[in-house]
Amino acid sequence: FLPETDDIGCEALMEAMNDIIELDLQIVIVGVGSPFFADYFRNLAEAYPKKLSFQPTDEPERYFYLLAGADFALLPQTNPVSPELLLRAARLGVIPITRPQPATLEWLAPHSKAKSGSIPSFYLTDYEPTTVFAAIKEACDIVLENKRFAKLMQLAMRINRSWKDCAKDYLKIYR
């Protein structure tokens, strides 16, 4: 998902793309983004039509249709990731690859430590191209371990952030 403005996370993704393209995966880049990012990914998609698709849309429903067919959602941007996007992705069994941010720390957990009530995630510890590549490679490797990946997907799909649960948590604190 491309951010609307220039962003160091997307710059790291761009620098890592030569290595990422070599992995056994298909990539869909979604979003209008800044003209700089849009031009880069449009040209890359033309160069690698069997590996990469660029979908320049800002229609939320289109985002979610594309998300429904994904295993992972790479969200490298430094600006806050939409909690709604994370929750919808989780309900579809889509695992985020992102840098944890204050607004989402409560929900996200490193995939190796995720438990019920959290969204298993692959963390970007910084915005270096090698870190972005390593997180994507690790995610691809786990997909090959069918049982482990299925367990992560099921954990993600069980996330429940309904008002009912929030009210229970509030009552515990209040009492």
Side-chain angles (χ1 to χ4, degrees):
F1 292 90
L2 290 180
E4 296 294 323
T5 59
D6 290 347
D7 190 282
I8 193 170
C10 282
E11 289 172 10
L13 174 61
M14 288 170 55
E15 289 181 42
M17 282 308 294
N18 286 337
D19 294 326
I20 294 168
I21 287 289
E22 297 301 317
L23 295 173
D24 185 21
L25 70 128
Q26 291 180 318
I27 304 163
V28 178
I29 303 289
V30 181
V32 178
S34 73
F36 177 73
F37 292 132
D39 289 344
Y40 173 81
F41 287 111
R42 184 178 297 106
N43 291 335
L44 199 61
E46 289 172 5
Y48 297 96
K50 293 183 179 184
K51 297 286 287 184
L52 179 69
S53 173
F54 176 61
Q55 300 292 317
T57 182
D58 59 359
E59 298 171 29
E61 287 307 310
R62 182 90 172 123
Y63 276 166
F64 297 117
Y65 284 124
L66 292 165
L67 194 58
D71 292 324
F72 300 98
L74 177 62
L75 305 161
Q77 62 265 31
T78 54
N79 56 325
V81 174
S82 161
E84 178 188 6
L85 176 62
L86 286 174
L87 289 173
R88 279 191 154 182
R91 289 186 189 120
L92 294 167
V94 178
I95 310 299
I97 302 172
T98 191
R99 185 168 173 111
Q101 299 163 346
T104 58
L105 274 176
E106 175 185 342
W107 303 347
L108 298 178
H111 69 88
S112 59
K113 297 178 183 176
K115 295 183 172 132
S116 185
S118 64
I119 300 171
S121 309
F122 291 85
Y123 280 2
L124 299 174
T125 54
D126 58 45
Y127 293 109
E128 294 297 321
T130 54
T131 303
V132 173
F133 175 76
I136 294 170
K137 172 86 170 84
E138 182 181 14
C140 289
D141 291 346
I142 286 179
V143 167
L144 298 176
E145 300 174 38
N146 289 334
K147 286 183 182 180
R148 189 170 172 201
F149 183 61
K151 200 171 177 181
L152 291 177
M153 288 175 58
Q154 290 167 1
L155 244 174
M157 289 189 292
R158 277 192 237 128
I159 190 79
N160 182 359
R161 291 291 168 192
S162 68
W163 175 245
K164 181 180 169 184
D165 287 348
C166 293
K168 283 181 187 177
D169 292 344
Y170 175 77
L171 281 174
K172 284 180 192 174
I173 293 168
Y174 178 75
R175 289 185 180 144

